[in-house]
Amino acid sequence: MNQPNDTDREVVISIRGLRNQFGSQVVHDNLDLDIYRGEIIGIVGGSGTGKSVLLRTIAGLNRPKAGSVEVLGIDVLNAHQDGRADAGVNWGVMFQDGALFSSLTVRENVEVPMRTVDGLDPQLRRALADLKISMAGLPYFAGDKYPSELSGGMRKRAGLARALALDPQIVFLDEPTAGLDPIGAADFDQLILGLSRSLGLTVFLVTHDLDTLHAICDRIAVLAEKRVLVTGTMQDMLTVDHPWVHEYFHGVRARAALDTKAAASGPTKD
Amino acid sequence: MIPPMERPDFQISLIDAAQRVTIKGAMTLPHATTTEADFQTIATDRDVHLDLSGVTRFDTSAAWIIASLDARLKDAGQTLEINGTSEEIKSLLRSVTAAMPTPTVVEQPKMTFMDWVASIGQSMASAFMYLAELVGFLGLFLARLVRSLRHPKDFRLTALFHHCEEVGLKAVPIVALMAFLIGVVLAFQGSTQLKQFGAEVFVVDLIAISILRELGILLTSIIVAGRTASAFTAAIGSMKMREEIDAMASLGLDPAMMLFVPRILALVIMLPILGLIANVMGLLGGGLMAWIDLGISPALFMTRLVEGTDINHVIIGMVKAPVFALIIGVVGCHAGMQVKSNAESLGRMTSSAVVAAIFAVIVADALFSIFFAGIGM
């Protein structure tokens, strides 16, 4: 992939000196990370390295002990909720199992964020919700269903549709392909890639899925030793000399994913 | 809230055989309603040239508006030409056009009179089914109880003691306090009424008969139903939810033996004891109030109690306790087994177990009253 230098690109999320601590257990210490506009960044790390905590911290669901988080130039930790909205900073979060409101249909779920928009005609809101549902790859009739009537994969898609309801610039995805069969996971990868490119989305993706990392991530950030150990492309990861990173990207599963990717894209791929 | 922005500037002009539509400004969600209304004014009887070069912001709602205009024009046999768009807008338009949902209207079947009759029949049938299932559960419990007599090694004595502590010992404070207060209330209310006839001393009979025969055990059962039926449902239901019950069965362990027998048996043992405590505390509260309010001394109270109150009242009260215990235990365990694999059903079954248990206890109490009246006790 041909990407401009880091210095040329617009930073949409900037984390400096982040410290997260629960009781005496330090999850992040002095963590720095920059995320650029339009990229899909995959966050990997062993269990308990605080991948989801990092996601929740940036999305404002968890308050860190120290450090700063700037999203689109706004200091989200100190900005008032209204101030954040006034600056046009909005993001969507897709939780692991969709986290849909169980008492509402899928369409009503997608309409919930749109209700905050003043003067939006209910008919139009409904039509736009249907559009988001369709863009998330769900059939039309899924809009009338309740979350409990959907399969896990469909719930994830519905969760994505809700996350995209207000055309956010950034979406956070927590393990988007966990619990999906390989075909469903590959479809979901392509959906994220397609939406990211056509909507100009910046995607922050927490995953364990090596296939996802290979298939769609522009950049990978490895969480280890309480900080972002290394960031870079998949190719960069293969040359990192750290025991965990080496094990992760050179293990049997990683090899298999790499082979699949190579077979799919042909040997000319860089 | 999405910040308010200037609404986009919208102009239609006619050129030759086509319309030129020019839009300037931010085409975003906050103004989607007015923008859509503007777009609705575009006539579909001629081609449209859409100029988006002045558009500063563009989102999926704008893409939807343009894509639906495109669909309307196509239906009318006209074409839409879009000029002055950036690559991003083009790619967004492409993906929105590709994803435009095609509504499939599903006919909602109308409810007829027959459907209504059928739904009544169904709910009646399911009520009887529920009753039958409860009886089946009772049978299962009794069968396992007999089995544990023949195979004492299968019986889980530790679990029985644990549940005795949970449903019995830990319920003593609340049950005792409740019964004491009921006794106080009865004495107070009874004395104010009986004073009018100068029959204050009969307040002892009033307290003794109502507490010993009915209220002591009934109110204890209602409290235990609320406390224990819900706890049974929640404990067994969450095990069902996490497939622990299936795991037990696959390991050759009998869930009825492991889970139901200790719980229901503990309740059958402990509820009469709780009822006895409630009786004593109720009499204590009533006696205290009678002493304070009416000056009936404890000695007089005791004499009147022993002389005036038939032992049958105590027996009738205590006979009901094991039956109520069976009802509460069976309803609670049964509801736990009905929990599906989601958390909502756990909550729903827990609350419905409490309602069903309290209702069943009161119905059983009414049946007991009719029965004892029938045999003249």
Side-chain angles (χ1 to χ4, degrees):
Chain A
M1 240 166 267
N2 196 10
Q3 294 196 337
N5 277 337
D6 287 356
T7 46
D8 301 343
R9 307 173 64 197
E10 186 193 346
V11 175
V12 287
I13 300 177
S14 164
I15 304 167
R16 290 288 174 271
L18 186 75
R19 181 182 176 87
N20 267 307
Q21 189 173 353
F22 300 104
S24 61
Q25 188 201 357
V26 179
V27 181
H28 301 134
D29 193 17
N30 212 9
L31 181 149
D32 296 341
L33 180 64
D34 281 326
I35 295 169
Y36 304 104
R37 180 175 290 284
E39 72 174 350
I40 302 180
I41 185 163
I43 309 293
V44 300
S47 296
T49 50
K51 303 184 292 293
S52 293
V53 174
L54 181 61
L55 185 155
R56 293 172 59 84
T57 307
I58 305 172
L61 301 171
N62 174 53
R63 217 180 155 73
K65 281 271 180 290
S68 73
V69 178
E70 276 189 19
V71 179
L72 297 163
I74 308 288
D75 180 359
V76 290
L77 298 178
N78 298 317
H80 193 257
Q81 181 78 19
D82 290 343
R84 209 184 81 193
D86 285 342
V89 179
N90 68 75
W91 52 68
V93 183
M94 192 200 91
F95 295 92
Q96 261 198 43
D97 195 34
L100 299 168
F101 304 122
S102 52
S103 57
L104 303 178
T105 63
V106 169
R107 183 182 296 112
E108 289 165 344
N109 261 288
V110 179
E111 284 183 54
V112 167
M114 296 186 190
R115 283 172 192 275
T116 58
V117 179
D118 276 340
L120 186 60
D121 179 48
Q123 209 100 46
L124 181 62
R125 189 173 67 209
R126 197 184 143 91
L128 289 174
D130 281 335
L131 174 67
K132 301 285 159 141
I133 292 167
S134 166
M135 286 175 83
L138 288 170
Y140 181 80
F141 65 80
D144 290 318
K145 300 254 191 217
Y146 285 93
S148 57
E149 299 172 298
L150 299 180
S151 68
M154 290 173 93
R155 273 204 295 278
K156 280 177 192 280
R157 284 172 187 270
L160 184 60
R162 188 179 67 183
L164 294 175
L166 291 179
D167 282 308
Q169 304 178 47
I170 305 163
V171 283
F172 298 95
L173 309 177
D174 195 358
E175 305 251 4
T177 54
L180 297 184
D181 66 81
I183 298 171
D187 284 349
F188 208 90
D189 286 347
Q190 290 311 312
L191 174 71
I192 295 168
L193 185 63
L195 287 174
S196 158
R197 297 295 178 246
S198 66
L199 303 179
L201 283 174
T202 305
V203 180
F204 181 99
L205 187 117
V206 169
T207 190
H208 269 307
D209 191 335
L210 284 154
D211 290 315
T212 304
L213 294 175
H214 277 297
I216 65 170
C217 289
D218 301 324
R219 223 154 51 98
I220 294 165
V222 180
L223 285 190
E225 298 167 6
K226 297 173 182 142
R227 60 196 173 89
V228 176
L229 194 71
V230 59
T231 63
T233 62
M234 197 69 202
Q235 298 306 318
D236 300 340
M237 290 301 128
L238 295 173
T239 59
V240 172
D241 189 26
H242 178 275
W244 191 86
V245 181
H246 190 271
E247 177 69 15
Y248 192 90
F249 291 101
H250 289 268
V252 180
R253 284 162 161 258
R255 283 270 163 237
L258 202 60
D259 290 347
T260 323
K261 170 86 171 174
S265 58
T268 51
K269 185 86 183 162
D270 59 355
Chain B
M1 293 295 300
I2 302 294
M5 277 176 285
E6 284 301 304
R7 65 174 281 191
D9 182 45
F10 180 86
Q11 277 176 355
I12 305 181
S13 53
L14 292 177
I15 44 160
D16 301 335
Q19 307 169 83
R20 174 190 273 297
V21 178
T22 316
I23 305 167
K24 291 192 175 70
M27 285 183 78
T28 49
L29 197 57
H31 295 295
T33 310
T34 50
T35 311
E36 164 67 359
D38 289 341
F39 267 71
Q40 288 289 350
T41 62
I42 299 173
T44 53
D45 58 353
R46 60 188 76 195
D47 290 353
V48 175
H49 293 236
L50 190 59
D51 183 5
L52 298 179
S53 53
V55 170
T56 51
R57 289 179 64 184
F58 192 84
D59 67 6
T60 45
S61 68
W64 180 86
I65 289 167
I66 292 173
S68 27
L69 173 69
D70 189 27
R72 282 203 299 278
L73 287 171
K74 271 217 183 74
D75 287 345
Q78 311 296 334
T79 56
L80 175 68
E81 195 185 305
I82 304 169
N83 301 311
T85 52
S86 62
E87 203 39 58
E88 286 96 56
I89 292 183
K90 270 187 196 143
S91 94
L92 181 56
L93 266 174
R94 262 197 308 276
S95 55
V96 167
T97 310
M100 278 303 268
T102 43
T104 44
V105 181
V106 185
E107 274 293 309
Q108 285 290 338
K110 267 196 84 175
M111 183 115 166
T112 65
F113 179 69
M114 285 310 289
D115 290 335
W116 183 68
V117 173
S119 75
I120 291 179
Q122 264 164 8
S123 51
M124 285 301 288
S126 62
F128 279 110
M129 281 298 292
Y130 177 62
L131 216 56
E133 278 175 29
L134 285 186
V135 173
F137 234 81
L138 181 64
L140 182 67
F141 165 68
L142 293 176
R144 291 297 184 276
L145 200 60
V146 171
R147 185 189 149 80
S148 60
L149 289 179
R150 290 193 292 137
H151 305 274
K153 264 196 348 206
D154 290 355
F155 187 74
R156 295 177 70 225
L157 198 63
T158 321
L160 178 70
F161 283 127
H162 169 73
H163 290 301
C164 282
E165 186 189 338
E166 286 294 321
V167 308
L169 194 61
K170 289 191 177 168
V172 167
I174 178 81
V175 165
L177 181 65
M178 178 273 310
F180 183 84
L181 292 176
I182 290 293
V184 168
V185 170
L186 274 179
F188 189 71
Q189 293 297 330
S191 68
T192 47
Q193 297 300 319
L194 292 172
K195 248 184 210 163
Q196 300 175 13
F197 311 106
E200 288 98 326
V201 79
F202 284 105
V203 83
V204 180
D205 300 67
L206 173 78
I207 294 165
I209 294 174
S210 52
I211 295 254
L212 295 179
R213 192 178 171 114
E214 287 290 339
L215 291 182
I217 196 63
L218 183 64
L219 291 175
T220 305
S221 297
I222 287 174
I223 284 195
V224 168
R227 230 184 137 259
T228 308
S230 58
F232 284 4
T233 307
I236 294 175
S238 62
M239 290 183 79
K240 180 97 193 303
M241 214 166 79
R242 290 192 299 251
E243 298 184 315
E244 287 175 47
I245 307 245
D246 295 335
M248 287 173 113
S250 75
L251 293 170
L253 303 168
D254 180 12
M257 197 68 169
M258 308 284 286
L259 302 176
F260 309 155
V261 171
R263 283 187 169 80
I264 301 177
L265 193 60
L267 207 49
V268 172
I269 295 170
M270 297 314 287
L271 193 63
I273 299 176
L274 287 174
L276 202 64
I277 293 172
N279 285 350
V280 171
M281 290 305 288
L283 293 178
L284 203 67
L288 192 71
M289 200 61 201
W291 192 18
I292 293 171
D293 198 40
L294 295 171
I296 298 173
S297 71
L300 178 60
F301 190 91
M302 277 303 289
T303 322
R304 182 76 206 152
L305 183 68
V306 174
E307 278 176 6
T309 314
D310 201 282
I311 189 70
N312 276 348
H313 295 312
V314 184
I315 295 171
I316 286 172
M318 297 314 286
V319 159
K320 295 191 258 187
V323 178
F324 290 173
L326 275 179
I327 290 173
I328 296 167
V330 165
V331 167
C333 291
H334 173 264
M337 290 302 282
Q338 304 304 307
V339 171
K340 306 275 184 301
S341 57
N342 53 43
E344 293 97 73
S345 76
L346 180 63
R348 200 168 50 242
M349 288 320 293
T350 306
S351 65
S352 81
V354 173
V355 174
I358 291 177
F359 177 73
V361 161
I362 292 174
V363 169
D365 191 54
L367 293 179
F368 268 119
S369 290
I370 297 169
F371 172 74
F372 286 123
I375 63 169
M377 279 179 81

